[in-house]
Amino acid sequence: MAAKKVLLLCGDYMEDYEVMVPFQALQAYGVTVAAVCPGKKAGDVCRTAVHQGIGHQTYSETRGHNFALNASFDEITANGYDGLVIPGGRAPEYLAMDEKVLDLVRKFSDAKKPIASVCHGQLILAAAGVVQNRTCTAYPAVKPVLVAAGAKWNEPDTMAKCTVDGNLITAATYDSHPEFISLFVKALGGSVAGSDKKILFLCGDYMEDYEVMVPFQSLQALGCHVNAVCPGKGAGEKCPTAIHDFEGDQTYSEKPGHDFTLTASFESVDASSYDALVIPGGRAPEYLALNDKVISLVKDFSDKGKPIASICHGQQILSAAGVLKGKKCTAYPAVKLNVVLGGGTWLEPDPIHRCFTDGNLVTGAAWPGHPEFVSQLMALLGIKVSF
């Protein structure tokens, strides 16, 4: 069967996770994803927003990453794609006023192609008139619009709620991503094999936002059991993250990211209970590399020959653990010194999304490489997505 092609409908101040996680996860699974925005062309950027609940009566908003489009809205047609994904955030409120957007959504609906919409994205579905007598969920504040448009409202008892009605997949928030993406893959005719794996994420304060959440939810969506731990913290506690981006300066900028919720306690972790280790980048690795228990854990995975996938500054930990000797690897370019001094053979990340596998080790340079990064880890674990 021909490779699947999916359209991602973007706009300024869409939610950061809600665009990037499905964008990169689907690519990692072998799906071609075209990201478009009305009035913009391939190579242009959409601003994103970080939305999260921090104890106020509604969610907070801060600036997210800059998201680069890879296709032009005026050049695409619905018949060229197998499915449509609509992120939430604030973009849907103005996209729902664009007749070209609504016409595009109606064409996907009329053709009964899978449509997956999350959070506030359902405002667009309501405006397009495609939710009449359809069971839908969404972020709770979208309920009045969906009900007025004739939808059958399915209350999200948790923010991870998903609902399926025929070709329509709706979800409450980015917490829904694992099930949301899994349901969309199935709707595209996909099946997953070999995903009965247990994977550990080594987290820390101010790890890079995308570099923890994209692989974390991508692997969950496949059906893997994924745990995230941080030294000195337990299950349910949070790590603040950092948004690292390139905005014209000589090095990356930093903005506050989402708070990431840990799922297990570091103190009770045993490498023998897991099939692989993932190390996100950001600023966390420079201090985690000083922690003897972290170093011991990484060595344990390495000694057992289990897959280790590390990205960006994560290789600072690998270098400190002495597991790069004789290995070929890449990293964020500024980490080359750590790699070389740690006995590794440096592989230039050109372009920046290049990732490499050497034996049990997968390394990447930065978050644009996530599709390759996750795909190469899947290969080591024997996980396959077929359509």
Side-chain angles (χ1 to χ4, degrees):
M1 185 179 290
K4 295 294 181 179
K5 294 178 66 177
V6 168
L7 192 66
L8 187 65
L9 183 56
C10 302
D12 283 332
Y13 300 104
M14 57 192 166
E15 212 289 328
D16 201 359
Y17 279 167
E18 289 171 6
V19 61
M20 188 56 93
V21 175
F23 180 69
Q24 292 191 318
L26 290 167
Q27 289 180 85
Y29 307 158
V31 177
T32 299
V33 187
V36 298
C37 173
K40 300 193 183 194
K41 60 186 185 300
D44 287 348
V45 164
C46 282
R47 306 291 191 192
T48 72
V50 170
H51 287 168
Q52 60 180 346
I54 56 172
H56 303 300
Q57 291 186 346
T58 190
Y59 52 86
S60 65
E61 177 175 317
T62 53
R63 277 281 304 278
H65 294 80
N66 297 315
F67 183 88
L69 304 167
N70 64 357
S72 302
F73 183 84
D74 290 340
E75 296 175 3
I76 56 97
T77 59
N79 60 15
Y81 296 90
D82 301 295
L84 174 67
V85 178
I86 307 176
R90 286 196 293 107
E93 24 176 63
Y94 83 85
L95 293 176
M97 299 163 57
D98 188 319
E99 281 301 324
K100 289 183 178 178
V101 167
L102 302 184
D103 182 61
L104 179 70
V105 172
R106 291 183 192 114
K107 286 178 178 174
F108 274 94
S109 180
D110 291 346
K112 296 189 170 15
K113 293 180 178 181
I115 299 174
S117 181
V118 64
C119 197
H120 287 72
Q122 288 81 302
L123 293 171
I124 297 172
L125 302 183
V130 301
V131 296
Q132 183 79 29
N133 295 319
R134 307 292 292 276
T135 301
C136 299
T137 195
Y139 186 70
V142 182
K143 174 182 177 179
V145 172
L146 285 172
V147 171
K152 299 174 183 176
W153 175 250
N154 192 350
E155 186 69 29
D157 47 354
T158 74
M159 290 300 100
K161 180 79 172 182
C162 289
T163 297
V164 180
D165 187 333
N167 67 316
L168 194 60
I169 301 161
T170 52
T173 69
Y174 53 72
D175 289 341
S176 314
H177 277 156
E179 184 181 6
F180 179 71
I181 294 168
S182 175
L183 290 168
F184 187 61
V185 167
K186 289 175 184 173
L188 291 171
S191 61
V192 182
S195 64
D196 54 336
K197 303 298 189 297
K198 197 172 179 185
I199 301 166
L200 185 68
F201 273 63
L202 181 55
C203 301
D205 288 345
Y206 300 105
M207 58 191 166
E208 212 287 330
D209 199 4
Y210 279 166
E211 289 172 6
V212 62
M213 186 59 102
V214 172
F216 188 82
Q217 291 192 320
S218 297
L219 292 164
Q220 285 183 315
L222 292 169
C224 298
H225 181 81
V226 189
N227 272 335
V229 298
C230 173
K233 299 191 182 189
E237 293 189 73
K238 295 183 177 183
C239 286
T241 70
I243 287 172
H244 287 167
D245 215 343
F246 291 92
E247 301 180 292
D249 304 308
Q250 291 187 344
T251 189
Y252 51 86
S253 63
E254 179 168 309
K255 298 186 284 284
H258 300 78
D259 293 330
F260 182 86
T261 303
L262 303 167
T263 62
S265 169
F266 180 83
E267 299 304 323
S268 61
V269 163
D270 179 1
S272 63
S273 299
Y274 292 91
D275 298 296
L277 176 67
V278 177
I279 307 176
R283 286 196 291 107
E286 63 180 14
Y287 83 85
L288 292 176
L290 304 173
N291 187 310
D292 289 340
K293 290 183 179 179
V294 166
I295 297 303
S296 177
L297 179 67
V298 172
K299 284 181 176 178
D300 204 4
F301 272 92
S302 181
D303 291 346
K304 289 178 167 64
K306 295 186 175 186
I308 298 174
S310 181
I311 194 162
C312 197
H313 286 72
Q315 286 79 305
Q316 291 174 322
I317 298 174
L318 300 184
S319 177
V323 301
L324 292 180
K325 293 182 177 68
K327 291 285 191 178
K328 297 177 182 177
C329 74
T330 194
Y332 184 69
V335 183
K336 179 179 179 179
L337 180 62
N338 300 71
V339 170
V340 173
L341 292 177
T345 299
W346 176 253
L347 298 175
E348 196 67 37
D350 186 18
I352 199 68
H353 60 73
R354 281 297 302 277
C355 294
F356 298 93
T357 299
D358 185 358
N360 67 317
L361 184 64
V362 177
T363 53
W367 54 256
H370 279 149
E372 284 189 28
F373 183 72
V374 174
S375 177
Q376 290 183 29
L377 177 58
M378 288 168 59
L380 285 184
L381 290 168
I383 302 171
K384 294 182 180 179
V385 180
S386 305
F387 292 94

